[in-house]
Amino acid sequence: MNVHGPSAGVGVLFNPALAGFVEHHSDAVDFYSVIPERFWVDHGRGAAPRFAPLPHEVGLLERLAARKPVTAHGIGLSIASASLFDLDYVAQLKDWKRRYGFAWVSEHLAAMRLAGGAGSDHHAGLALPLPWDEELLALLCPRIARVQEALGGPIALENGVEYTPVPHAELSEPAFLNALTARTGCGILLDLHNLHVNERNLGRPARGFIDALDLDTVVEIHIAGGSSLHGIYLDAHSGPCPPEVFALLRQVAPRCRNLRGVTFEFLESYFPSMGEEGVLEQIELAREALRPPEHPPCPSPNSSAHSAT
Ligand SMILES: [Fe+2]
């Protein structure tokens, strides 16, 4: 897998509907991204044993890892939850990174879990809105250091969707992410569809976010599709990416000097409407967006005159 922006690899977020795709079309992708939680049962904090591997699913993971590099995209850490920091989960991730040689590990910059009574946690079902402030930075920085110490390298954290932003934030989201990466050395998983969702729902320009973010910290980009429900545009992963997402990808990827991969995400329930050909088409469109233009735009007469002086 290549490691620099314009020639970064293109992958797909694995789901069980792709089992046939893996057999027939693995040449089309450079890597697979996997959600590790899909390969084990988590019996909850305090349970012994806590994690039980699922044999059939682990077999799928082994077939993936035999064909292509695999990256881990965790969904269970909930690193921004003030009420819990799940070090047993981190240890499990560390163990599986060693076992399957994950090329890199990403997680969501999110709070989804709340510590419940008697060891039973609650799950909000979606990411809760976060306050972009120094208090949250102070909570996250030592946690990220612990995670990175366990994993033996940087983790990439993903920007999320804000359906109900916390008002009167101290920092903008990109300024918060820049402070987080500068203080911890973690990377960013830049989800372009999430930026598109925030632009449609909140009128927050995706390009403004990109211009404010330290793009040297971006190691992976997510692309996805969504759908509208009752006037709200949702990050539904419901099929092909909208053209705006590919336009953002063309604009941002060449500026991300440490980009390692672009990953297409979709939910398996939408596979019947896409089929293998639909997935292949999204992968090819991502490759096209990453390709340098054959005929770069000529400098304008004004800019040539300027450079000649
Ligand atoms: Fe994503």
Side-chain angles (χ1 to χ4, degrees):
M1 197 184 324
N2 296 316
V3 293
H4 293 297
S7 52
V10 176
V12 64
L13 182 65
F14 177 77
N15 65 58
L18 285 170
F21 181 97
V22 171
E23 301 298 329
H24 303 121
H25 298 295
S26 281
D27 286 349
V29 296
D30 300 305
F31 65 95
Y32 288 106
S33 174
V34 300
I35 296 172
E37 287 86 346
R38 298 198 72 149
F39 301 96
W40 65 59
V41 173
D42 182 351
H43 292 294
R45 286 190 304 135
R50 163 86 185 263
F51 300 98
L54 294 163
H56 173 72
E57 285 74 5
V58 168
L60 281 175
L61 177 55
E62 286 170 351
R63 293 217 293 281
L64 290 180
R67 282 166 172 76
K68 290 289 169 179
V70 173
T71 71
H73 182 50
I75 59 173
L77 180 56
S78 197
I79 196 167
S81 288
S83 62
L84 63 87
F85 180 39
D86 191 348
L87 287 170
D88 290 337
Y89 174 90
V90 175
Q92 171 78 350
L93 207 49
K94 172 189 175 181
D95 184 40
W96 278 50
K97 178 176 185 247
R98 181 190 51 74
R99 197 181 301 181
Y100 296 104
F102 296 143
W104 67 86
V105 176
S106 64
E107 249 289 354
H108 297 82
L109 176 52
M112 292 170 284
R113 295 165 57 192
L114 298 168
S120 64
D121 296 338
H122 307 289
H123 199 291
L126 79 173
L128 300 170
L130 295 175
W132 306 122
D133 59 19
E134 282 292 334
E135 190 178 355
L136 183 57
L137 282 168
L139 176 83
L140 287 171
C141 288
R143 291 183 173 189
I144 292 170
R146 288 286 296 274
V147 171
Q148 295 186 144
E149 186 185 326
L151 296 178
I155 190 167
L157 293 173
E158 178 177 353
N159 60 296
V161 169
E162 291 191 86
Y163 292 111
T164 54
V166 176
H168 312 301
E170 280 177 22
L171 298 166
S172 68
E173 186 181 358
F176 182 93
L177 296 178
N178 290 345
L180 197 65
T181 53
R183 293 182 197 182
T184 66
C186 75
I188 293 298
L189 194 178
L190 179 61
D191 190 311
L192 296 178
H193 189 252
N194 289 351
L195 297 187
H196 179 61
V197 172
N198 289 342
E199 179 167 305
R200 286 189 58 161
N201 291 334
L202 305 173
R204 192 184 292 168
R207 282 182 164 80
F209 183 106
I210 289 167
D211 289 342
L213 187 69
D214 177 359
L215 296 177
D216 282 353
T217 64
V218 175
V219 296
E220 185 180 357
I221 288 176
H222 273 177
I223 57 173
S227 52
S228 294
L229 183 69
H230 303 305
I232 304 288
Y233 183 71
L234 301 171
D235 179 39
H237 295 189
S238 48
C241 308
E244 292 91 337
V245 167
F246 286 117
L248 289 172
L249 181 60
R250 271 190 295 277
Q251 185 207 38
V252 72
R255 297 164 60 193
C256 298
R257 297 188 298 177
N258 299 304
L259 180 64
R260 300 184 70 181
V262 174
T263 308
F264 171 55
E265 305 182 284
F266 73 96
L267 291 177
E268 61 256 48
S269 51
Y270 295 93
F271 182 73
S273 61
M274 295 184 73
E276 291 182 351
E277 291 306 314
V279 177
L280 289 167
E281 183 181 47
Q282 294 300 297
I283 291 165
E284 184 49 35
L285 287 169
R287 289 199 191 284
E288 276 178 30
L290 293 178
R291 235 168 254 143
E294 280 183 27
H295 302 291
C298 295
S300 69
N302 284 344
S303 62
S304 336
H306 179 73
S307 61
T309 58

